PDB file of all heavy atoms in Angstrom:
ATOM      1  N   LEU A 115      -7.982   9.780   5.164  1.00  0.00           N
ATOM      2  CA  LEU A 115      -6.809  10.048   4.292  1.00  0.00           C
ATOM      3  C   LEU A 115      -5.771   8.951   4.419  1.00  0.00           C
ATOM      4  O   LEU A 115      -5.189   8.490   3.417  1.00  0.00           O
ATOM      5  CB  LEU A 115      -6.212  11.409   4.619  1.00  0.00           C
ATOM      6  CG  LEU A 115      -6.960  12.616   4.049  1.00  0.00           C
ATOM      7  CD1 LEU A 115      -6.446  13.917   4.666  1.00  0.00           C
ATOM      8  CD2 LEU A 115      -6.824  12.650   2.523  1.00  0.00           C
ATOM      9  N   SER A 116      -5.519   8.520   5.654  1.00  0.00           N
ATOM     10  CA  SER A 116      -4.551   7.438   5.876  1.00  0.00           C
ATOM     11  C   SER A 116      -5.034   6.180   5.165  1.00  0.00           C
ATOM     12  O   SER A 116      -4.213   5.464   4.539  1.00  0.00           O
ATOM     13  CB  SER A 116      -4.409   7.203   7.365  1.00  0.00           C
ATOM     14  OG  SER A 116      -3.528   6.108   7.599  1.00  0.00           O
ATOM     15  N   ALA A 117      -6.334   5.881   5.230  1.00  0.00           N
ATOM     16  CA  ALA A 117      -6.876   4.685   4.603  1.00  0.00           C
ATOM     17  C   ALA A 117      -6.734   4.752   3.083  1.00  0.00           C
ATOM     18  O   ALA A 117      -6.444   3.753   2.417  1.00  0.00           O
ATOM     19  CB  ALA A 117      -8.332   4.508   4.973  1.00  0.00           C
ATOM     20  N   VAL A 118      -6.963   5.946   2.508  1.00  0.00           N
ATOM     21  CA  VAL A 118      -6.822   6.101   1.054  1.00  0.00           C
ATOM     22  C   VAL A 118      -5.401   5.841   0.639  1.00  0.00           C
ATOM     23  O   VAL A 118      -5.100   5.153  -0.354  1.00  0.00           O
ATOM     24  CB  VAL A 118      -7.310   7.514   0.630  1.00  0.00           C
ATOM     25  CG1 VAL A 118      -6.897   7.798  -0.819  1.00  0.00           C
ATOM     26  CG2 VAL A 118      -8.826   7.604   0.773  1.00  0.00           C
ATOM     27  N   HIS A 119      -4.436   6.432   1.375  1.00  0.00           N
ATOM     28  CA  HIS A 119      -3.013   6.232   1.066  1.00  0.00           C
ATOM     29  C   HIS A 119      -2.644   4.759   1.205  1.00  0.00           C
ATOM     30  O   HIS A 119      -1.951   4.199   0.302  1.00  0.00           O
ATOM     31  CB  HIS A 119      -2.159   7.094   1.986  1.00  0.00           C
ATOM     32  CG  HIS A 119      -2.002   8.484   1.551  1.00  0.00           C
ATOM     33  ND1 HIS A 119      -1.018   8.927   0.681  1.00  0.00           N
ATOM     34  CD2 HIS A 119      -2.719   9.601   1.865  1.00  0.00           C
ATOM     35  CE1 HIS A 119      -1.135  10.207   0.449  1.00  0.00           C
ATOM     36  NE2 HIS A 119      -2.132  10.658   1.208  1.00  0.00           N
ATOM     37  N   ASP A 120      -3.088   4.110   2.261  1.00  0.00           N
ATOM     38  CA  ASP A 120      -2.756   2.699   2.479  1.00  0.00           C
ATOM     39  C   ASP A 120      -3.375   1.831   1.399  1.00  0.00           C
ATOM     40  O   ASP A 120      -2.732   0.897   0.903  1.00  0.00           O
ATOM     41  CB  ASP A 120      -3.254   2.247   3.879  1.00  0.00           C
ATOM     42  CG  ASP A 120      -2.404   2.796   5.001  1.00  0.00           C
ATOM     43  OD1 ASP A 120      -1.291   3.272   4.718  1.00  0.00           O
ATOM     44  OD2 ASP A 120      -2.857   2.737   6.140  1.00  0.00           O
ATOM     45  N   THR A 121      -4.612   2.120   1.007  1.00  0.00           N
ATOM     46  CA  THR A 121      -5.280   1.329  -0.019  1.00  0.00           C
ATOM     47  C   THR A 121      -4.535   1.499  -1.345  1.00  0.00           C
ATOM     48  O   THR A 121      -4.296   0.509  -2.070  1.00  0.00           O
ATOM     49  CB  THR A 121      -6.743   1.764  -0.160  1.00  0.00           C
ATOM     50  OG1 THR A 121      -7.418   1.587   1.084  1.00  0.00           O
ATOM     51  CG2 THR A 121      -7.436   0.936  -1.230  1.00  0.00           C
ATOM     52  N   ALA A 122      -4.193   2.719  -1.680  1.00  0.00           N
ATOM     53  CA  ALA A 122      -3.447   2.972  -2.913  1.00  0.00           C
ATOM     54  C   ALA A 122      -2.098   2.271  -2.946  1.00  0.00           C
ATOM     55  O   ALA A 122      -1.619   1.834  -4.004  1.00  0.00           O
ATOM     56  CB  ALA A 122      -3.255   4.459  -3.103  1.00  0.00           C
ATOM     57  N   ALA A 123      -1.496   2.130  -1.751  1.00  0.00           N
ATOM     58  CA  ALA A 123      -0.185   1.457  -1.653  1.00  0.00           C
ATOM     59  C   ALA A 123      -0.321  -0.072  -1.664  1.00  0.00           C
ATOM     60  O   ALA A 123       0.706  -0.771  -1.641  1.00  0.00           O
ATOM     61  CB  ALA A 123       0.496   1.905  -0.364  1.00  0.00           C
ATOM     62  N   GLY A 124      -1.538  -0.569  -1.700  1.00  0.00           N
ATOM     63  CA  GLY A 124      -1.717  -2.040  -1.796  1.00  0.00           C
ATOM     64  C   GLY A 124      -1.988  -2.736  -0.468  1.00  0.00           C
ATOM     65  O   GLY A 124      -2.020  -3.963  -0.405  1.00  0.00           O
ATOM     66  N   HIS A 125      -2.212  -1.948   0.586  1.00  0.00           N
ATOM     67  CA  HIS A 125      -2.465  -2.520   1.897  1.00  0.00           C
ATOM     68  C   HIS A 125      -3.971  -2.745   2.072  1.00  0.00           C
ATOM     69  O   HIS A 125      -4.803  -2.060   1.452  1.00  0.00           O
ATOM     70  CB  HIS A 125      -1.951  -1.613   3.009  1.00  0.00           C
ATOM     71  CG  HIS A 125      -0.488  -1.316   2.899  1.00  0.00           C
ATOM     72  ND1 HIS A 125       0.467  -2.284   2.768  1.00  0.00           N
ATOM     73  CD2 HIS A 125       0.169  -0.099   2.841  1.00  0.00           C
ATOM     74  CE1 HIS A 125       1.653  -1.705   2.712  1.00  0.00           C
ATOM     75  NE2 HIS A 125       1.489  -0.395   2.718  1.00  0.00           N
ATOM     76  N   THR A 126      -4.332  -3.667   2.949  1.00  0.00           N
ATOM     77  CA  THR A 126      -5.715  -3.896   3.286  1.00  0.00           C
ATOM     78  C   THR A 126      -6.059  -3.049   4.513  1.00  0.00           C
ATOM     79  O   THR A 126      -5.350  -3.056   5.503  1.00  0.00           O
ATOM     80  CB  THR A 126      -5.968  -5.374   3.635  1.00  0.00           C
ATOM     81  OG1 THR A 126      -5.681  -6.159   2.486  1.00  0.00           O
ATOM     82  CG2 THR A 126      -7.429  -5.585   4.052  1.00  0.00           C
ATOM     83  N   VAL A 127      -7.160  -2.303   4.407  1.00  0.00           N
ATOM     84  CA  VAL A 127      -7.580  -1.394   5.470  1.00  0.00           C
ATOM     85  C   VAL A 127      -8.922  -1.878   6.017  1.00  0.00           C
ATOM     86  O   VAL A 127      -9.872  -2.028   5.260  1.00  0.00           O
ATOM     87  CB  VAL A 127      -7.727   0.039   4.948  1.00  0.00           C
ATOM     88  CG1 VAL A 127      -8.219   0.949   6.072  1.00  0.00           C
ATOM     89  CG2 VAL A 127      -6.417   0.563   4.375  1.00  0.00           C
ATOM     90  N   LEU A 128      -8.985  -2.127   7.324  1.00  0.00           N
ATOM     91  CA  LEU A 128     -10.243  -2.566   7.937  1.00  0.00           C
ATOM     92  C   LEU A 128     -10.520  -1.742   9.192  1.00  0.00           C
ATOM     93  O   LEU A 128      -9.623  -1.498  10.020  1.00  0.00           O
ATOM     94  CB  LEU A 128     -10.138  -4.038   8.355  1.00  0.00           C
ATOM     95  CG  LEU A 128      -9.949  -5.065   7.235  1.00  0.00           C
ATOM     96  CD1 LEU A 128      -9.711  -6.431   7.861  1.00  0.00           C
ATOM     97  CD2 LEU A 128     -11.164  -5.081   6.325  1.00  0.00           C
ATOM     98  N   ALA A 129     -11.780  -1.274   9.316  1.00  0.00           N
ATOM     99  CA  ALA A 129     -12.191  -0.635  10.546  1.00  0.00           C
ATOM    100  C   ALA A 129     -12.034  -1.638  11.682  1.00  0.00           C
ATOM    101  O   ALA A 129     -12.186  -2.826  11.494  1.00  0.00           O
ATOM    102  CB  ALA A 129     -13.655  -0.172  10.419  1.00  0.00           C
ATOM    103  N   PRO A 130     -11.688  -1.187  12.884  1.00  0.00           N
ATOM    104  CA  PRO A 130     -11.456  -2.085  14.001  1.00  0.00           C
ATOM    105  C   PRO A 130     -12.611  -3.068  14.233  1.00  0.00           C
ATOM    106  O   PRO A 130     -12.381  -4.272  14.464  1.00  0.00           O
ATOM    107  CB  PRO A 130     -11.286  -1.147  15.198  1.00  0.00           C
ATOM    108  CG  PRO A 130     -10.698   0.086  14.588  1.00  0.00           C
ATOM    109  CD  PRO A 130     -11.403   0.229  13.274  1.00  0.00           C
ATOM    110  N   SER A 131     -13.864  -2.586  14.201  1.00  0.00           N
ATOM    111  CA  SER A 131     -15.000  -3.491  14.425  1.00  0.00           C
ATOM    112  C   SER A 131     -15.123  -4.515  13.324  1.00  0.00           C
ATOM    113  O   SER A 131     -15.515  -5.682  13.590  1.00  0.00           O
ATOM    114  CB  SER A 131     -16.291  -2.691  14.539  1.00  0.00           C
ATOM    115  OG  SER A 131     -16.598  -2.004  13.326  1.00  0.00           O
TER     116      SER A 131
END
Side-chain angles (χ1 to χ4, degrees):
L115 282 168
S116 177
V118 168
H119 277 273
D120 286 345
T121 302
H125 305 306
T126 299
V127 178
L128 296 174
S131 62

